[in-house]
Amino acid sequence: MFYVIGLGLCDEKDITVRGLEAVKGASRVYLEAYTSILMIQQDRLEEFYGKPVILADRDMVETQSDEILRDADKEDVAFLVVGDPFGATTHTDIILRARALGIQTRVIHNASIMNAVGACGLQLYNFGQTVSLVFFTETWKPDSYYDRVKENVQLGMHTLVLLDIKVKEQSEENLARGRKIYEPPRYMSIPTAVSQMLDTESTRQENVLNPESTLAIALSRVGGDGNQQRIVAGTLKELQGQPPEVFGEPLHSIVIVGKRVHYLEIEYAEAFAVDKENWRRVARDVYGCAGL
């Protein structure tokens, strides 16, 4: 059996009982280590599981899947994913490869940012399309995400924006020269994300993202213990103006609040607002949120 197992959001104890049983019974255990990160080191997983964990980077998952799937038709192999297994298309792809080889597959689900985002107070059924925001460069500023945000805005739906991470990435020069030299890990912060989105708005000028009147909620380390989890709400301008330490350690996400927001959602999120009075004012006067 080839098991694809969600680890949840925080540490080694977030795995489900069913997932832990599958790990303990597997002959090999891989940890997908590039679409997201855990808040702990690999050795804590190995100590908890009582067996070694093989890190599977992008290159291994995308080009060496045969090695990961080796003998999975005769024994159990576990492939661990931070969050839920279907949080990234990569995991769908490796399941399809296993099926093509006649290997039985089983998915064991867990919490992910896609449902844990409800911690900010916005109702999950009011969310539209989720988008990803990648790091801009001097020559590359992709804006296709803006069209998805615009569609959500037009429907009054909230938008979850997942922020880019760069793990074991090569520079253009090293990639061109075939040198296996990797850049240090980078994780997009909330201020960087807001700055990029407003940069896109200044280019597109379709009034989808207004710094003064678009409400947003920043989240980091959702599901973390103690003070690890951070939630900060405000206008885009207010979030952009906060010092980086306000948002805590990565991973970061941000939600663009939709116009169909209910006043109870606003009241819940007000606890996280930079300026509670302005949060209510914008929700009432710009979003037309009755009941405030």
Side-chain angles (χ1 to χ4, degrees), residues 27-190:
S27 58
R28 296 192 312 281
V29 180
Y30 295 90
L31 173 62
E32 186 268 273
Y34 68 90
T35 60
S36 189
I37 60 168
L38 271 181
M39 302 180 198
I40 57 168
Q41 297 300 312
Q42 178 183 346
D43 58 355
R44 278 182 56 179
L45 287 180
E46 294 178 328
E47 181 180 356
F48 191 69
Y49 299 152
K51 57 176 51 187
V53 173
I54 304 165
L55 283 181
D57 60 17
R58 181 190 296 272
D59 184 58
M60 172 178 276
V61 176
E62 294 184 352
T63 67
Q64 301 175 42
S65 62
D66 287 348
E67 172 59 25
I68 295 174
L69 296 171
R70 175 175 51 84
D71 295 331
D73 57 336
K74 307 181 186 72
E75 55 195 34
D76 290 344
V77 175
F79 184 77
L80 310 181
V81 176
V82 179
D84 185 78
F86 290 128
T89 55
T90 293
H91 313 136
T92 303
D93 181 66
I94 199 167
I95 290 171
L96 290 174
R97 296 186 194 192
R99 289 176 179 173
L101 294 171
I103 297 169
Q104 292 189 76
T105 63
R106 182 168 297 167
V107 174
I108 300 177
H109 294 282
N110 210 320
S112 77
I113 189 60
M114 301 292 282
N115 61 339
V117 66
C120 73
L122 301 182
Q123 297 297 316
L124 295 180
Y125 54 73
N126 284 337
F127 278 76
Q129 303 168 87
T130 297
V131 302
S132 297
L133 184 64
V134 302
F135 279 109
F136 286 179
T137 69
E138 291 183 2
T139 58
W140 189 58
K141 296 183 178 181
D143 64 356
S144 59
Y145 77 92
Y146 184 91
D147 297 313
R148 306 287 82 76
V149 175
K150 180 180 177 181
E151 290 170 0
N152 288 344
V153 167
Q154 290 172 337
L155 292 171
M157 311 298 283
H158 310 314
T159 305
L160 172 60
V161 183
L162 304 176
L163 307 190
D164 199 9
I165 67 174
K166 297 290 188 185
V167 179
K168 204 173 181 182
E169 297 277 343
Q170 294 174 268
S171 67
E172 291 183 5
E173 180 182 355
N174 287 328
L175 189 62
R177 294 178 179 272
R179 297 185 298 209
K180 293 288 186 178
I181 301 173
Y182 301 100
E183 301 292 297
R186 287 196 299 152
Y187 308 99
M188 185 182 291
S189 67
I190 296 297

